[in-house]
Amino acid sequence: MDWEFLKGQDAAVASLRRDLASDRVANAYIFHGPEGVGKSTAALIFAKALQCGGEAPPCGECPACLKIDRGVHPDVIHVSPPEGRKSIGVEHIREAVIGRAVQRPQEGNRQIFVIDEAHAVTIGAFNALLKTLEEPSYDTVIILITQNLHALPPTVVSRCRRLLFRSLNRDEQRAVLAASLGGAGGDLDQLISLSLGRLGTALGNDPEVLAGRREAALGFLEGLAAPPGKADIIDLLSLAASQGSGSGAVRAEVLRFLEMLLGLLRDILVLKVAAGDLEPWNTDLDEVLRELGRRWGAPGLIQAMDRVETAVRDVGEINTNPSLTLESLVIGLRGTVGAGS
Amino acid sequence: MDIVIQRNTLHRALQSVQGVVESRSSAMPILQNVLISAEGKNQVRLLATNLDIGLQGLFEAKVKEGGSVTLNARKMFDVVRELPDADVNLIEEDGQWIRMECGQSSFRFPGLPPSDFPSIPDTGKEKSQSVPSKVLAEMIRKTMFAISQDETRYTYNGVYMESEDETLRLVATDGHRLAMVERSGLGADFNGGVIIHKKALGELVKLLSESADSVEIFMQKNHVIFRMGAIELSARLIDGDFPKYKQVIPQDNQHHILADRDGLMRALRRVSLLSNETRMVKFVFQKGQLTLMTNGSDVGEAHEVMESNYSGDELIIGFNSRYCLDVLNIIEEPDICFALKDSLSPGVISPSEGEGYIYVIMPMRV
């Protein structure tokens, strides 16, 4: 796996390669951009290029490259929230990063710390990390990976070199999926639609599960958009409740449902106001979505998306009760139907 | 790999590396394993590391077929401990399983690929420096207790080793006290000085106590390696500047007061029992006498008067009793010397005779 593997991130890749070529590698980077566009892959390739002992780094064949590929290189340290936890706390950062960054590398040229989901690092942990970011030793490189740059404190952001990884268009996604899945991916276009253009989702999920989720989200929207006489609030509430039933992974499941809902609303809005200029993800639902779009005005749709985004934040970050959040969302969304049309 | 090794040799070998094997599951499960590799026809190398410290040793064994394996060090040690004294046969099987046979017993361990094992620096052909084991062990013992326990101050978490004009010097400090020991005639070169973490020192002291006459020290870019006979310990260096300790050592403390080490220690122990949570004991120096005092705590107060050769004006200075007792315990000479300036300047405690050991202690406000 080398730089060629990374599709559609020419600007970020060029910047990293320039740093390598001129031996002016920064001590801290932030790779930010949407989920599944190659941030972690870029960090891995960058780490290999830094540790590689071959002639054309990253050669992919030397012991260092092979160890990084297998995830056992002692000087490439991955940090992510511990199992069952949502955040990376100060103890974790002290032990995994700060305490090791003060040591010389074990066998590589440098020590590279890759902090995945950097937005999950607590503010206390970031504060503890500041000194390491500010005065690192020459052989330490810290890479923060996040989808949400704004969740990082400005004190951290200002100490890092920022690289934006942009969203991939449909063709680039198709190329990446084809390379990763081979023939096993089935209908790639369908998969891209179902995953709303998120490669991470497309690669990590069963297409049938995604299709089922979209079906549920579509049914939910159709219920909402039904004319007043026919709309059955009780039905909707129970549909919402069914999304939040069961146990264990409820919260995660509700989040994915809400994200699907958001994707569909976005497509409806695109078809309504920017058809032709922007491409909706769910190309196969064109007619259905256009039909749904007639029930909303553009301001109403934007309002609806706002409400869903708030619900995503409530469930994902503030830890509200998923079922209650969904129920209040039903009421709130119902109020956006017809607005402004 | 196919080797035959004596049970007692294997037991000793595994025991020597246990100290650095990662006990809990970490991001790298292979750190719980020991790497065993055949070297030539008559030796095996055992190697373990927790990435801070690496330990390896060469042990006698009959090598029938070369190769290397890794397996869980703790479990293997537990099994070998229970084996009778006989030959143990280690055989590598397909799919990275390792079979161990001894007499009628047979065990199978799952292995991990040896290529995943972190590499440990090799001493190679570099030039080494030799220091008598006993001397190094003593120097470490005399400084190590002053290392900071605060894990967030990394440069204070180890002993600083440096050499200057054929003098080997070890320094440790936690910001409140500082211990420095020197031995001349030991021209070891430490590339300007290295900090060695206290965990590595703990292992090193253990090995030094069992080791032969001298220890060979190899300096490398990222590690320092201590070789004692067939065993090598490599410690990863702490990257950072050790505090400028020379500025801390007072040069102009004009009052030199001699005291009987044992008598002072006993008195200090008694008096400090009634100190408050700061552990402060007041040292009141007057003409011809020294009074140790504690007061201000809820549990009571104490004082004890000792004779002293002090001849200046009255001088009252407070010290943390634990810091004083630490050094009084470590010094072997019968008499010690206090060097003081005034009640707010750092004091120096050293053996009254002989050079080479200095302990600086910050006073507390009385």
Side-chain angles (χ1 to χ4, degrees):
Chain A
M1 202 191 291
D2 63 9
W3 296 114
E4 307 306 320
F5 183 84
L6 217 54
K7 298 283 187 303
Q9 303 298 357
D10 298 345
V13 167
S15 171
L16 288 175
R17 297 185 80 162
R18 210 163 38 237
D19 288 354
L20 286 167
S22 58
D23 197 21
R24 297 174 81 165
V25 175
N27 290 109
Y29 288 90
I30 294 176
F31 291 2
H32 65 107
E35 185 188 342
V37 297
K39 299 186 296 296
S40 300
T41 311
L44 198 70
I45 299 170
F46 191 50
K48 280 203 273 186
L50 286 168
Q51 302 285 24
C52 180
E55 284 195 354
C59 69
E61 288 159 6
C62 66
C65 284
L66 292 175
K67 276 190 170 179
I68 294 173
D69 272 338
R70 289 199 302 272
V72 296
H73 198 294
D75 295 318
V76 178
I77 297 130
H78 291 270
V79 183
S80 51
E83 218 144 301
R85 304 284 290 275
K86 276 196 296 190
S87 59
I88 303 176
V90 60
E91 280 307 311
H92 191 148
I93 285 286
R94 277 220 178 100
E95 192 182 317
V97 184
I98 305 172
R100 294 174 76 168
V102 296
Q103 293 182 320
R104 311 302 303 270
Q106 171 76 13
E107 60 178 60
N109 307 321
R110 299 170 189 257
Q111 285 197 99
I112 298 154
F113 298 90
V114 181
I115 304 182
D116 254 317
E117 299 184 44
H119 46 270
V121 176
T122 62
I123 185 75
F126 264 133
N127 285 338
L129 191 60
L130 280 181
K131 192 160 154 43
T132 310
L133 286 173
E134 175 110 335
E135 299 171 358
S137 51
Y138 163 75
D139 40 27
T140 304
V141 178
I142 299 175
I143 303 173
L144 302 167
I145 296 181
T146 183
Q147 303 153 35
N148 186 358
L149 183 66
H150 303 292
L152 309 191
T155 43
V156 167
V157 176
S158 67
R159 285 165 168 83
C160 302
R161 193 172 293 173
R162 268 164 289 165
L163 288 182
L164 172 67
F165 285 71
R166 62 178 190 82
S167 307
L168 300 180
N169 64 33
R170 205 167 252 272
D171 291 335
E172 288 162 341
Q173 296 213 3
R174 205 179 291 118
V176 175
L177 286 177
S180 310
L181 297 173
D187 184 347
L188 292 181
D189 270 314
Q190 171 81 358
L191 187 57
I192 294 170
S193 296
L194 288 173
S195 58
L196 305 171
R198 295 176 181 184
L199 277 177
T201 312
L203 289 170
N205 284 282
D206 182 354
E208 280 183 28
V209 174
L210 293 174
R213 194 175 297 142
R214 189 174 73 170
E215 201 60 42
L218 204 58
F220 187 76
L221 284 178
E222 278 168 346
L224 274 176
K230 288 191 182 172
D232 189 341
I233 274 283
I234 306 294
D235 256 8
L236 274 174
L237 285 175
S238 61
L239 181 65
S242 74
Q243 289 299 321
S245 66
S247 61
V250 176
R251 195 173 290 278
E253 189 52 45
V254 168
L255 273 178
R256 285 187 217 115
F257 173 76
L258 289 173
E259 275 160 12
M260 185 63 87
L261 208 56
L262 201 57
L264 290 174
L265 284 169
R266 179 255 181 202
D267 280 358
I268 294 173
L269 184 64
V270 164
L271 287 171
K272 193 170 181 71
V273 303
D277 294 331
L278 280 173
E279 198 187 7
W281 289 119
N282 295 285
T283 41
D284 52 329
L285 291 180
D286 208 85
E287 274 313 304
V288 186
L289 295 177
R290 271 176 204 278
E291 185 57 40
L292 269 173
R294 292 202 183 94
R295 298 283 305 138
W296 267 282
L301 274 173
I302 292 168
Q303 240 179 52
M305 289 175 76
D306 272 349
R307 285 186 192 274
V308 179
E309 270 180 355
T310 309
V312 168
R313 209 194 58 225
D314 287 351
V315 176
E317 291 168 31
I318 307 183
N319 270 336
T320 55
N321 179 320
S323 308
L324 289 179
T325 311
L326 277 180
E327 281 171 24
S328 100
L329 183 66
V330 168
I331 316 278
L333 285 181
R334 183 73 193 148
T336 65
V337 180
S341 62
Chain B
M1 194 182 78
D2 186 348
I3 57 165
V4 177
I5 183 167
Q6 268 227 305
R7 180 262 174 201
N8 286 351
T9 312
L10 185 58
H11 182 256
R12 186 162 47 87
L14 285 169
Q15 196 165 28
S16 64
V17 299
Q18 277 314 306
V20 302
V21 174
E22 196 76 56
S23 52
R24 58 208 172 104
S25 62
S26 65
M28 290 181 72
I30 204 162
L31 298 183
Q32 295 177 41
N33 285 15
V34 54
L35 175 71
I36 303 177
S37 48
E39 300 266 319
K41 284 278 151 216
N42 300 311
Q43 281 183 314
V44 287
R45 182 183 298 275
L46 260 76
L47 200 154
T49 178
N50 58 11
L51 295 186
D52 295 326
I53 315 163
L55 263 182
Q56 57 174 318
L58 278 172
F59 300 90
E60 212 174 291
K62 249 188 280 166
V63 178
K64 291 189 194 163
E65 202 186 318
S68 51
V69 295
T70 80
L71 64 165
N72 188 292
R74 185 74 225 171
K75 268 286 162 259
M76 188 184 184
F77 181 57
D78 289 345
V79 169
V80 170
R81 198 164 46 187
E82 301 301 333
L83 290 179
D85 187 10
D87 280 350
V88 180
N89 191 3
L90 278 177
I91 307 143
E92 184 182 359
E93 293 187 334
D94 288 344
Q96 280 162 6
W97 281 82
I98 298 107
R99 196 169 77 236
M100 182 163 85
E101 287 177 343
C102 178
Q104 299 301 310
S105 321
S106 177
F107 307 86
R108 285 179 83 227
F109 298 96
L112 286 169
S115 56
D116 283 1
F117 206 82
S119 62
I120 286 191
D122 208 17
T123 48
K125 291 192 175 62
E126 288 159 64
K127 87 176 173 30
S128 70
Q129 344 198 24
S130 183
V131 176
S133 302
K134 280 211 173 64
V135 173
L136 187 62
E138 186 207 336
M139 292 176 80
I140 294 175
R141 196 172 59 85
K142 284 192 165 168
T143 45
M144 201 178 151
F145 67 93
I147 292 176
S148 171
Q149 302 301 321
D150 179 357
E151 296 282 342
T152 59
R153 304 174 79 182
Y154 300 98
T155 50
Y156 288 42
N157 280 166
V159 164
Y160 182 67
M161 282 193 190
E162 67 168 359
S163 54
E164 211 173 25
D165 307 329
E166 298 281 298
T167 299
L168 177 63
R169 183 182 299 131
L170 268 63
V171 190
T173 180
D174 64 3
H176 304 292
R177 34 84 177 264
L178 175 145
M180 179 179 97
V181 60
E182 290 177 335
R183 290 289 178 271
S184 54
L186 300 171
D189 181 13
F190 285 100
N191 298 347
V194 297
I195 305 172
I196 302 174
H197 196 268
K198 61 183 175 204
K199 279 188 251 168
L201 292 168
E203 283 298 318
L204 181 60
V205 167
K206 242 193 282 174
L207 291 170
L208 284 172
S209 67
E210 307 160 359
S211 111
D213 325 334
S214 68
V215 46
E216 280 180 87
I217 306 173
F218 298 79
M219 270 312 302
Q220 296 194 332
K221 187 167 157 249
N222 299 330
H223 296 81
V224 55
I225 302 171
F226 299 89
R227 185 197 282 165
M228 291 138 285
I231 299 210
E232 270 177 33
L233 178 144
S234 58
R236 225 161 133 185
L237 299 176
I238 296 180
D239 209 356
D241 294 326
F242 195 75
K244 296 206 179 348
Y245 67 92
K246 283 183 186 165
Q247 296 174 357
V248 179
I249 300 171
Q251 303 297 340
D252 54 348
N253 285 5
Q254 72 279 30
H255 301 298
H256 291 264
I257 306 126
L258 290 176
D260 165 39
R261 182 183 68 91
D262 196 50
L264 179 63
M265 190 162 71
R266 284 166 197 276
L268 195 53
R269 273 208 204 114
R270 283 189 287 267
V271 172
S272 67
L273 287 174
L274 296 189
S275 65
N276 59 14
E277 64 276 7
T278 64
R279 293 167 181 274
M280 184 176 77
V281 170
K282 270 188 245 174
F283 287 65
V284 183
F285 291 97
Q286 286 157 321
K287 258 193 181 45
Q289 72 172 42
L290 160 64
T291 312
L292 301 180
M293 286 171 66
T294 48
N295 51 27
S297 84
D298 303 338
V299 288
E301 47 188 61
H303 76 271
E304 180 157 346
V305 184
M306 306 170 70
E307 271 184 39
S308 162
N309 67 335
Y310 183 74
S311 57
D313 298 334
E314 184 181 77
L315 172 62
I316 305 177
I317 188 165
F319 288 123
N320 182 320
S321 55
R322 192 165 64 83
Y323 293 167
C324 293
L325 287 170
D326 278 349
V327 69
L328 293 175
N329 258 320
I330 280 288
I331 292 178
E332 288 142 357
E333 287 80 356
D335 293 310
I336 59 124
C337 175
F338 266 106
L340 301 173
K341 187 177 176 197
D342 52 49
S343 61
L344 293 177
S345 305
V348 176
I349 301 176
S350 53
S352 66
E353 281 169 23
E355 299 262 302
Y357 189 52
I358 282 182
Y359 186 74
V360 181
I361 176 167
M362 297 302 289
M364 299 169 85
R365 216 168 263 282
V366 291

